[in-house]
Amino acid sequence: MKIIRAKDYKDMSRKAANIISAQIIMKPNCVLGLATGSTPIGTYDQLVEWYNKGDLDFSEVTTVNLDEYKGLTRENDQSYYYFMNDKLFSRVNINKDRTFLPDGMEPDSDKACRDYNEIIASVGGVDLQLLGLGHNGHIGFNEPGMAFEAETHCVNLTESTMKANQRFFASMDEVPKQAYTMGIKTIMQAKKILIVISGEDKAQIVKEAFFGPITPKVQASVLQLHNDVIVVADEAALSLVK
Ligand code: GLP
């Protein structure tokens, strides 16, 4: 695990975008695994800026996203489909037919998960997976539990995740209670993993996830076993580790 210390959020975003750019330049038809949440927004903004300068070409890139809320339409501005279009896909020359997320409107969970596993297999797996880190150590929507789930599955979101998401919805009733997420095995099969983390409120979980025991109670701790993980975190997020 390589830890890159960034000064602040902006510096973290630039460093992460640099790594993603390098991937696209080295392999223009790469498969990027992408993430939502507030942390990667600056990274996407930076990629768009470089695209606008003519330094990046997304025309051959394929993307698979980590997760999607169950029951939100693509038009719902809180769906991850909407988020990805808004923050990245509509702003660069990516082929929209090559951008994939789990189908949040598929009510049959088994089918939604099976279909998404097939999509990931059909694109040939992920070259570079971008991740954020939840306050409880979740990656994607793999919540703390008794085991590491292998492939795409339907999760019941924890109270703490729903609370964290509440700020985006009119009321707690509107916050989705379930989501489809890539599993840990799929994430771990990515050739390279890049995790972006910012802010003092993540310092405790950074310490537990990367310097504590490997346990499904802190799902991100499994990343310690991957042979090519880059953590790009700002000083605030690293404030509890030497
Ligand atoms: C959500 C997403 C995760 C993300 C996490 C952290 O739960 N499903 O993929 O990493 O939030 O979000 P933030 O970056 O806003 O702290």
Side-chain angles (χ1 to χ4, degrees):
M1 180 171 286
K2 190 180 173 72
I3 299 189
I4 298 181
R5 193 175 277 265
K7 274 203 305 286
D8 51 24
Y9 179 77
K10 192 155 185 18
D11 189 33
M12 176 207 76
S13 302
R14 281 176 66 86
K15 286 181 160 69
N18 257 307
I19 293 164
I20 298 171
S21 297
Q23 173 68 66
I24 298 171
I25 291 165
M26 305 270 274
K27 187 178 175 189
N29 64 347
C30 63
V31 177
L32 298 179
L34 296 179
T36 54
S38 46
T39 315
I41 292 176
T43 305
Y44 294 143
D45 284 344
Q46 183 62 77
L47 290 172
V48 170
E49 196 181 315
W50 287 333
Y51 164 76
N52 286 333
K53 272 193 185 159
D55 288 343
L56 268 180
D57 176 13
F58 288 82
S59 61
E60 290 177 59
V61 171
T62 296
T63 66
V64 285
N65 258 78
L66 282 168
D67 46 13
E68 178 61 285
Y69 288 117
K70 183 175 176 182
L72 294 193
T73 62
R74 291 177 156 197
E75 294 73 36
N76 187 311
D77 65 2
Q78 291 308 319
S79 74
Y80 287 166
Y81 179 92
Y82 188 100
F83 176 103
M84 288 310 303
N85 273 291
D86 188 44
K87 305 290 183 237
L88 184 66
F89 301 154
S90 66
R91 302 163 76 196
V92 297
N93 66 335
I94 200 161
N95 175 356
K96 290 260 184 76
D97 295 339
R98 304 290 309 161
T99 64
F100 301 99
L101 289 92
D103 180 1
M105 289 308 284
E106 172 55 66
D108 178 345
S109 301
D110 288 343
K111 180 172 188 312
C113 296
R114 212 170 41 238
D115 288 351
Y116 202 55
N117 288 333
E118 277 168 19
I119 288 171
I120 297 167
S122 74
V123 301
V126 175
D127 290 300
L128 173 65
Q129 176 68 56
L130 175 65
L131 297 174
L133 180 67
H135 287 100
N136 60 8
H138 73 219
I139 45 178
F141 266 135
N142 291 281
E143 296 277 33
M146 303 300 287
F148 293 112
E149 294 270 355
E151 297 190 310
T152 310
H153 55 284
C154 181
V155 286
N156 297 319
L157 301 177
T158 62
E159 248 344 273
S160 91
T161 299
M162 288 195 286
K163 279 215 183 90
N165 288 340
Q166 192 186 350
R167 62 199 151 118
F168 302 116
F169 294 86
S171 73
M172 193 66 179
D173 288 347
E174 284 178 33
V175 182
K177 295 178 177 55
Q178 290 187 307
Y180 297 131
T181 183
M182 260 188 211
I184 293 295
K185 182 172 133 201
T186 312
I187 293 172
M188 290 294 280
Q189 278 172 342
K191 293 194 188 92
K192 195 184 250 314
I193 294 177
L194 167 63
I195 180 161
V196 287
I197 314 163
S198 170
E200 211 181 329
D201 54 320
K202 297 276 173 79
Q204 181 59 32
I205 196 65
V206 163
K207 189 176 163 192
E208 285 173 36
F210 306 131
F211 299 91
I214 297 165
T215 162
K217 291 192 185 107
V218 182
Q219 294 273 320
S221 64
V222 76
L223 298 175
Q224 295 179 42
L225 299 174
H226 193 282
N227 64 12
D228 194 356
V229 176
I230 308 176
V231 179
V232 181
D234 62 14
E235 277 171 11
L238 291 171
S239 57
L240 294 181
V241 298
K242 298 233 165 65

